Amino acid sequence: MFLAYMIVAVTWNFTRGKAKGSDALFGAGVCVVSLILLVGYRVFRLRRTYATAAFVKNPEGIAVAFDKEYFVSGLPGRSETRFLWPAIYDFAENERIALVYLSRRSFIVIPKHAMPEESWREFRSFIPQRRQE
């Protein structure tokens, strides 16, 4: 939003003759540098999130189990966490992975090949309605 405001302000002043070309170039430079920094920070965060993910550090993978009451996720031989179905924040999937959101920024990655399709149908039936925000 700030970048859009800056571009509009510099362009407005330049077209009205109130700013020199050097001011417009400086404003455009600030916008470009800010955009590069924002994109770079996003890439850095995504790489850091991936590097600290449990499935990267644990080559055996994540163990998954569920029944009508709760969903269990854990690292074999290390930890186990149980979540009641109403505690699941959201669920998203594509043809390769499923994401079980525990909050807006916390999720569990489950590869689709971890369970047969009939288990995935049953799993989806237990997921609470998706939250709309």
Side-chain angles (χ1 to χ4, degrees):
M1 187 67 176
F2 174 73
L3 292 176
Y5 172 76
M6 184 119 168
I7 290 170
V8 169
V10 167
T11 305
W12 180 268
N13 283 334
F14 184 70
T15 58
R16 299 287 181 240
K18 295 181 181 178
K20 300 179 211 168
S22 61
D23 292 340
L25 288 176
F26 176 75
V30 168
C31 290
V32 168
V33 168
S34 299
L35 187 61
I36 289 170
L37 289 174
L38 288 172
V39 169
Y41 179 70
R42 176 74 176 151
V43 169
F44 167 76
R45 282 195 57 208
L46 287 173
R47 287 184 178 181
R48 188 178 68 188
T49 300
Y50 180 80
T52 60
F55 66 89
V56 173
K57 293 180 180 177
N58 192 20
E60 297 88 35
I62 295 175
V64 177
F66 63 92
D67 64 12
K68 292 180 181 180
E69 293 182 32
Y70 52 81
F71 162 68
V72 180
S73 173
L75 300 173
R78 293 179 59 192
S79 67
E80 177 181 290
T81 307
R82 296 172 187 263
F83 302 97
L84 295 174
W85 289 111
I88 303 299
Y89 182 78
D90 203 354
F91 178 76
E93 64 181 331
N94 65 17
E95 63 279 349
R96 295 178 53 208
I97 63 169
L99 301 176
V100 179
Y101 284 88
L102 308 174
S103 68
R104 286 185 72 181
R105 296 182 183 198
S106 176
F107 55 86
I108 298 169
V109 178
I110 305 171
K112 291 299 276 274
H113 62 82
M115 293 189 290
E117 185 56 37
E118 60 271 2
S119 295
W120 278 112
R121 279 193 289 277
E122 185 179 4
F123 187 86
R124 286 183 209 103
S125 71
F126 292 134
I127 297 286
Q129 290 293 340
R130 295 180 185 199
R131 301 177 193 264
Q132 301 296 323
E133 293 184 21

